[in-house]
Amino acid sequence: MISDEPRINDDIRVSQVRLIGPNGEQVGIIATSVALNLAKEANLDLVEVAPKAKPPVAKLIDYGKFKYNEKIKAREARRNQSMSEIKEIRFRLKIDDHDFEVKEGHVRRFLSAGDKVKVTIMLRGREQSRPIGGVELLRKLADDVADLGSIEFAPKQEGRNIIMTLSPKGKKVHTQSEQRRRGGQARAERKARQAAHLAAKADEKETAGSNNTSSKQMKSKEGSNAEDEK
């Protein structure tokens, strides 16, 4: 069984290696035993990174940390890949202006969401022998949505169809982050409005209570004055 893992430390059986330091510095060709001692002194691993070179190239790294970082990178790559979808839009070569605008709106929405868009023009009969009109139509569409996406695969005839792929200019993960940021900002503004509304109500109650107290004091004073006149 052939392992994809590089040879590390005592598994490196050659007599000499071209050593690269932990910061990428070129140490030079030294005995493997000396390189192993350097790795132990630095509390690092001696990892063979180019086994077919003569002599093999080895590097001083923390192999456990290296493997962990590689795993994180692979996970992020899978996550970003799963976030992006390929949407498909189809229409005929003889499409009227209104329908074309509707299709363009769909394309703009997909690109805004961070998805790639596969645009297909379906040809019929004699249209297959003159596909140039379809190519021009797809390029017009690409120009119209150039602010959101660019051509990934240029228009090309495949059998009875002409196909073009557009890719978004921004990644979907960025779009989602922006949506989360806007959502957080909206929630903060909503809480601020609620707090201001409650504060206004409290002020109204306080003002009403103060007015009631003043009114009672005035009535009491008027009653006292009336008794004095008697």
Side-chain angles (χ1 to χ4, degrees):
M1 183 179 294
I2 299 176
S3 175
D4 292 332
E5 297 292 327
R7 292 188 297 183
I8 66 172
N9 299 328
D10 294 331
D11 291 334
I12 303 174
R13 302 299 176 84
V14 295
S15 60
Q16 290 183 323
V17 294
R18 185 181 297 276
L19 184 64
I20 301 175
N23 297 318
E25 65 273 20
Q26 298 287 337
V27 179
I29 298 174
I30 62 174
T32 304
S33 58
V34 175
L36 285 170
N37 288 333
L38 291 174
K40 290 177 182 178
E41 290 174 1
N43 197 26
L44 296 172
D45 299 296
L46 183 66
V47 180
E48 193 178 53
V49 294
K52 294 184 179 181
K54 294 183 180 182
V57 180
K59 186 175 182 179
L60 296 177
I61 61 175
D62 184 337
Y63 190 64
K65 185 177 181 180
F66 170 77
K67 290 293 292 181
Y68 175 76
N69 289 336
E70 288 295 306
K71 187 182 294 184
I72 295 298
K73 289 179 183 178
R75 186 184 304 165
E76 289 295 326
R78 289 194 299 270
R79 183 180 301 170
N80 290 337
Q81 185 177 8
S82 63
M83 283 182 174
S84 181
E85 299 179 11
I86 298 181
K87 304 292 186 179
E88 185 170 9
I89 295 291
R90 294 187 176 190
F91 54 88
R92 297 289 184 183
L93 182 59
K94 295 180 180 179
I95 184 173
D96 60 41
D97 293 341
H98 173 72
D99 289 341
F100 183 83
E101 291 174 0
V102 171
K103 298 291 184 180
E104 181 183 320
H106 294 328
V107 172
R108 297 186 70 87
R109 187 174 74 251
F110 293 147
L111 291 174
S112 298
D115 295 315
K116 294 183 179 182
V117 185
K118 178 181 178 183
V119 187
T120 302
I121 293 182
M122 299 172 290
L123 303 176
R124 292 185 296 186
R126 296 181 180 179
E127 293 174 350
Q128 298 177 47
S129 61
R130 301 182 63 184
I132 189 169
V135 172
E136 292 175 350
L137 192 61
L138 289 179
R139 290 194 178 278
K140 178 182 181 304
L141 176 63
D143 290 340
D144 290 348
V145 299
D147 56 320
L148 297 174
S150 58
I151 297 177
E152 183 175 270
F153 295 106
K156 178 181 178 182
Q157 185 174 4
E158 294 184 3
R160 296 183 178 181
N161 301 325
I162 303 176
I163 297 173
M164 175 184 70
T165 303
L166 300 171
S167 61
K169 287 188 174 180
K171 293 183 179 178
K172 191 170 187 174
V173 64
H174 294 162
T175 302
Q176 291 177 339
S177 297
E178 178 65 16
Q179 290 174 346
R180 286 194 295 268
R181 185 189 68 78
R182 291 180 180 178
Q185 183 177 355
R187 287 192 295 271
E189 291 176 353
R190 188 162 56 250
K191 288 181 179 179
R193 288 196 298 269
Q194 291 175 348
H197 182 65
L198 292 174
K201 279 191 172 182
D203 289 342
E204 288 178 1
K205 287 183 180 180
E206 185 177 350
T207 301
S210 177
N211 290 339
N212 290 336
T213 301
S214 299
S215 178
K216 289 180 180 179
Q217 289 176 348
M218 290 182 64
K219 287 182 179 179
S220 176
K221 186 175 180 180
E222 289 175 356
S224 178
N225 291 339
E227 290 179 358
D228 290 343
E229 288 177 359
K230 289 180 181 180

